[in-house]
Amino acid sequence: MSRKRLSGWLADAALVLYFVFALFPIAWMVILSLKPADQLFSTYFSFSPTLDGYRTVLGDSEGVPFVRFFVNSLVVSVGAVALSLVVGLPAAYASARWRFKGSDNLMFTLLSFRFAPELTVIIPLFVLYQQLGLFDTYVGMVWVLQLVTLPLVVWIMRSYFADLTPELEQAALLDGYTRKQAFFRVALPLVKPGIAAVSLLAFIFAWNNFVFPLILTSNEAQTVTVGALSFLGGDRPKYHLTAAAALVSVVPPLLLALTIQRYLVRGLSFGAVKS
């Protein structure tokens, strides 16, 4: 056996082992969600599979309106991404095309909203939301999630617009287009893959956010990240219901990624090699 072939087999075996290691938590959650309540703590892999956990989660039989929490997550996540795109795309285009004194500081300040710990602003936000009547509302959640999604959209799309040659827009201006028309008809269509990629990333970050809905919602606008923990209350935590709720909650980001995967691959690699 040649040394090259042996090293190839060892590399493949290492990849398989890492693949199993990385997917084991997901497989364990699937197993846990299929366990009956009476076999939850008594067995590991030998049990009678059942879908009762999913029926309970989706049927509200435990007094936890998980379906409503699921809809809430869809509403606030889609709303946050839509608002971030409406505000962030023009901002990213402007920051890529026009530089002025203090522009870098302004962009860094915007980025600081993304990497600053959420706990540093949650108490002032809680007080403001109570006074403004935004506590436990869709509007309040969409607004606060801009701290998560808007810096992401602006900074990522800024690099996409910077990779576009300005001559394309200048040619459109010479043809009689206004600056707004050049932005919508020339620049935006060329960065569609980037918009798809950043929309998915922003949706995932908004969907997975935990601290803001934990503190700024109570019941009406609560999301799945907080609602799934409702099954852990009581004298005996229902881990199988929590696992079922967690697996159900990953469906929207997964479906969105599969839907836009054609644009996603192009978007993630767009601008990697400049012509």
Side-chain angles (χ1 to χ4, degrees), residues 37-52:
D38 57 348
Q39 300 180 22
L40 194 59
F41 301 100
S42 59
T43 61
Y44 288 100
F45 298 103
S46 178
F47 61 93
S48 303
T50 178
L51 295 177
D52 289 342

Side-chain angles (χ1 to χ4, degrees), residues 17-218:
L17 289 176
Y18 177 77
F19 181 77
V20 173
F21 173 78
L23 290 184
F24 181 77
I26 299 177
W28 183 256
M29 287 186 63
V30 173
I31 293 173
L32 193 61
S33 68
L34 296 175
K35 283 188 174 184
D38 57 348
Q39 300 180 22
L40 194 59
F41 301 100
S42 59
T43 61
Y44 288 100
F45 298 103
S46 178
F47 61 93
S48 303
T50 178
L51 295 177
D52 289 342
Y54 293 94
R55 297 189 186 99
T56 302
V57 167
L58 299 178
D60 194 17
S61 61
E62 289 288 329
V64 179
F66 183 80
V67 174
R68 179 157 60 83
F69 297 156
F70 188 90
V71 174
N72 290 346
S73 289
L74 284 177
V75 172
V76 300
S77 298
V78 172
V81 173
L83 183 58
S84 295
L85 291 177
V86 171
V87 177
L89 289 177
Y93 177 74
S95 64
R97 287 291 181 261
W98 291 282
R99 305 295 296 272
F100 54 89
K101 185 178 180 180
S103 60
D104 291 336
N105 293 334
L106 180 62
M107 291 300 297
F108 181 79
T109 301
L110 179 63
L111 181 63
S112 67
F113 296 151
R114 178 66 190 89
F115 59 68
E118 297 169 350
L119 294 177
T120 59
V121 298
I122 195 63
I123 295 179
L125 281 175
F126 178 79
V127 175
L128 287 174
Y129 270 45
Q130 290 282 4
Q131 295 177 349
L132 297 176
L134 295 175
F135 180 79
D136 201 20
T137 63
Y138 288 152
V139 175
M141 281 304 302
V142 170
W143 185 12
V144 75
L145 285 177
Q146 298 309 301
L147 295 175
V148 177
T149 57
L150 185 58
L152 189 70
V153 171
V154 173
W155 269 89
I156 293 180
M157 292 309 302
R158 182 193 188 194
S159 63
Y160 285 101
F161 286 120
D163 285 339
L164 293 180
T165 175
E167 283 77 9
L168 295 174
E169 297 145 54
Q170 293 172 3
L173 295 176
L174 291 176
D175 287 340
Y177 281 28
T178 64
R179 175 61 70 175
K180 182 186 295 185
Q181 290 173 331
F183 171 67
F184 283 105
R185 298 185 182 182
V186 177
L188 275 187
L190 292 175
V191 296
K192 280 184 178 179
I195 295 175
V198 78
S199 297
L200 176 61
L201 293 176
F203 181 85
I204 292 175
F205 277 106
W207 182 273
N208 290 338
N209 190 269
F210 178 77
V211 175
F212 288 144
L214 176 66
I215 305 299
L216 300 179
T217 64
S218 176

